[in-house]
Amino acid sequence: MHIQRVETTPIEGQKMGTSGLRKKVKVVASTPHFLENFIQSVFNFILNKENQIITENKDNENNTFYQLVIGGDGRYYNKQAIQTILEVLYANCVNLKIKVHVLIGQNGLVSTPAVSCMIRKYKAELGGLILTASHNPGGEQNDWGIKYNTPNGGPAPEKVTDKIFEISQNIKEYFICKDLPNIDLSQVNDKAFGSDYLKVSIIDAVNDYFELLNTIFDMNAIKELLSNHDFNFLFDAMHGVTGLYAKRILHDQLGAKTENLLNCDPKEDFGGGHPDPNLTYAEELVKRVLKDEESKFDFGAASDGDGDRNMVLGKHFFVNPSDSVAIIADYAQKCIPYFKKNSIKGLARSMPTSTAIDRVAKELGVEIYETPTGWKYFGNLFDAGKLSICGEESFGTGSDHIREKDGMWAVLSWLSILAYEKSINKNVSVKDIVVNHWKKYGRSYYSRYDYEEVSADGANSMMNYIRDNYVSNDNTTINENSLLKELNIVKCEEFSYLDPIDQSFTGKQGFIFKLSDGSRIIFRLSGTGSAGATIRVYFEKYNATFIEGDPLEEVKTLAEIALRVSKLQEFTGRNSPTVIT
């Protein structure tokens, strides 16, 4: 088969964001060499012995292949992209005389947490490529994405993504083999392709992942809960990859009825929906569990396009993601066997996430870590054995069983909590569990405003305005600012993070305004969009005793303050957020 050397030049827009590279399909598909450049840059990094991902010793072993996992959420353009990746990989393997065995999920489908699981189980030395734009919409006119996960199973840290970006900005050539046969992804086949330098296996995407979950949870207790005629639940996969796992785990293994599983057939365009498990986009689930006055469902849950996010509902009750991770952490050693055996080593949250989990950490006597947004920042803490459970306000929850957030894990955690509580009081509800948690720890009233696809120039101008007017050069509050005094703002800082394990520094992660009563207002630009910019504004107001309030009403004053200090409307032209959570 003929190996082509193709001359190329750097292409703008190939820097990975919070979790990978995300672009409109039409950009990737219509820009010559776009995907090939990016993939060649990744392989120039991971196949370079100087980066110590591959080793000279193993490379010289007879018939020993390095392993690479490839999976994705099933969105439009994934199958074509997988073929291109294999064509570029084969050419590089032949040129470098490096042997690689690629494990691909059937039909190219593997959830993001399952990819992490597979990388770790098979000790995939090259890590994995995940073809996903996560919770962003799919289809020919929408978004496509790809990210690289390192051999620990987690998202590549900035020092890796920065190096790959640097390579992409100096690229002059890529190698490709257009003669490589089209790989049939539709059938499980250990020998889908074989040559001296490249082997491809199409594998079942669910078995390894369920095997891992089976070591974590008391599946019999969950199965008994789901078989109880007095307990009704609804799970919405939003036509994402989690549908595969819901059918095989919740239905086949745990006995859930098929009518309790919504939108569990993965589709390239997610059924025309937006696969983001929140109150706006999980419309059918929200209507049937939350809004229907006659709702029969005790528990509802949803996951996103690639299966790493989750939303939890009770009958007529929404569980804020910040509360959800705090409650899971509080219950873990009571009802999840994995944590009964291993105990809790530490807890963590992203900076914008509410401080609810901080109070649980204090109660448990363990360390709490505050990181930038992005699951990759939890990786070193996991690998160092300092962290057990963590979460992000953006519907991400997980533990040290893998190195990604995990939607199905969160759902099974909540089912475990419910099974535990109902063994004591069969009438307990999701709302009861949350309210009892607030009675013990107090309540963080919390909300997030998303201003999506605003002008990037306007968003950056707003952030620069905040920096110039409220934060001094040494990152301390400009105390003489009269507006801050008028609004009872006692501190404004630009969040940065010094990793306690490798001492790597991450700066410019958003602005935190702290009020005299302890409330927080946070401004942050999101790195998960594919066009324009998304401004996220977060509000948190803690009360130790008053827990019956409406979150939106409780943070209303904070929202008004946020608009005044930021001049958001002036910089963006937006009078209201796109989404309120």
Side-chain angles (χ1 to χ4, degrees), residues 467 470-479 491-494 496:
R467 182 180 295 109
Y470 306 121
V471 182
S472 65
N473 291 334
D474 61 355
N475 201 28
T476 58
T477 308
I478 299 177
N479 293 317
K491 185 175 183 181
C492 175
E493 64 177 319
E494 187 164 19
S496 61

Side-chain angles (χ1 to χ4, degrees), residues 386-571:
K386 294 184 177 295
L387 177 59
S388 295
I389 294 173
C390 56
E392 297 183 320
E393 50 71 37
S394 53
F395 297 90
T397 320
S399 86
D400 59 355
H401 67 294
I402 55 172
R403 296 298 181 265
E404 285 279 5
K405 49 186 175 279
D406 191 343
M408 184 59 71
W409 176 90
V411 172
L412 294 176
S413 293
W414 266 95
L415 290 173
S416 298
I417 292 169
L418 284 162
Y420 171 80
E421 282 292 351
K422 284 183 175 293
S423 70
I424 302 168
N425 175 5
K426 67 178 183 178
N427 295 319
V428 73
S429 68
V430 169
K431 181 178 180 179
D432 293 334
I433 290 169
V434 178
V435 169
N436 286 336
H437 181 85
W438 291 338
K439 288 178 179 177
K440 179 178 180 181
Y441 292 103
R443 181 179 184 183
S444 282
Y445 290 99
Y446 189 87
S447 185
R448 185 181 94 186
Y449 286 12
D450 291 355
Y451 297 82
E452 297 177 346
E453 295 191 0
V454 302
S455 159
D457 288 341
N460 287 319
S461 295
M462 185 199 76
M463 297 297 276
N464 288 333
Y465 173 81
I466 294 173
R467 182 180 295 109
D468 293 342
N469 284 274
Y470 306 121
V471 182
S472 65
N473 291 334
D474 61 355
N475 201 28
T476 58
T477 308
I478 299 177
N479 293 317
E480 64 271 17
N481 187 289
S482 59
L483 181 60
L484 297 188
K485 292 179 180 178
E486 176 191 341
L487 299 175
N488 293 316
I489 295 171
V490 296
K491 185 175 183 181
C492 175
E493 64 177 319
E494 187 164 19
F495 184 71
S496 61
Y497 179 65
L498 184 66
D499 190 298
I501 308 305
D502 66 8
Q503 305 303 304
S504 58
F505 177 81
T506 305
K508 295 187 176 180
Q509 292 299 301
F511 295 99
I512 308 170
F513 288 83
K514 293 184 179 179
L515 279 69
S516 57
D517 66 354
S519 297
R520 297 194 305 162
I521 301 169
I522 296 163
F523 294 88
R524 195 184 138 263
L525 297 186
S526 172
T528 60
S530 64
T534 295
I535 299 172
R536 302 201 197 281
V537 190
Y538 312 81
F539 313 104
E540 178 183 11
K541 181 179 181 181
Y542 174 70
N543 196 304
T545 55
F546 177 64
I547 62 173
E548 297 86 10
D550 179 338
L552 293 182
E553 286 299 317
E554 291 298 315
V555 303
K556 186 176 180 179
T557 301
L558 298 180
E560 293 169 354
I561 292 172
L563 293 177
R564 288 190 65 185
V565 297
S566 68
K567 295 189 176 181
L568 186 148
Q569 292 172 322
E570 179 180 323
F571 284 112

Side-chain angles (χ1 to χ4, degrees), residues 6-15 31-38 40-41 164-174:
V6 180
E7 291 187 0
T8 189
T9 56
I11 297 173
E12 287 187 10
Q14 297 215 331
K15 184 175 179 62
T31 305
H33 315 306
F34 189 96
L35 181 58
E36 292 88 345
N37 271 26
F38 181 79
Q40 183 67 58
S41 300
I164 292 172
F165 177 64
E166 180 185 336
I167 293 169
S168 76
Q169 295 305 288
N170 294 282
I171 193 168
K172 296 179 179 179
E173 62 186 8
Y174 65 82

Side-chain angles (χ1 to χ4, degrees), residues 114-133:
V115 169
S116 183
C117 165
M118 290 163 57
I119 291 172
R120 294 172 67 78
K121 176 177 179 177
Y122 295 107
K123 296 179 172 59
E125 303 91 340
L126 301 182
L129 292 169
I130 308 178
L131 282 63
T132 178

Side-chain angles (χ1 to χ4, degrees), residues 46-47 53 66 79 100 117-118 133 137 145 150 188-189 192 243 251 283 349 402 440 454 496 519 556 563 580:
I46 66 176
L47 298 179
I53 291 178
Y66 293 100
K79 290 181 180 179
V100 176
C117 165
M118 290 163 57
T150 56
V188 173
N189 182 357
H251 174 65
E283 187 175 358
R349 60 171 174 83
I402 55 172
K440 179 178 180 181
V454 302
S496 61
S519 297
K556 186 176 180 179
L563 293 177
I580 296 177

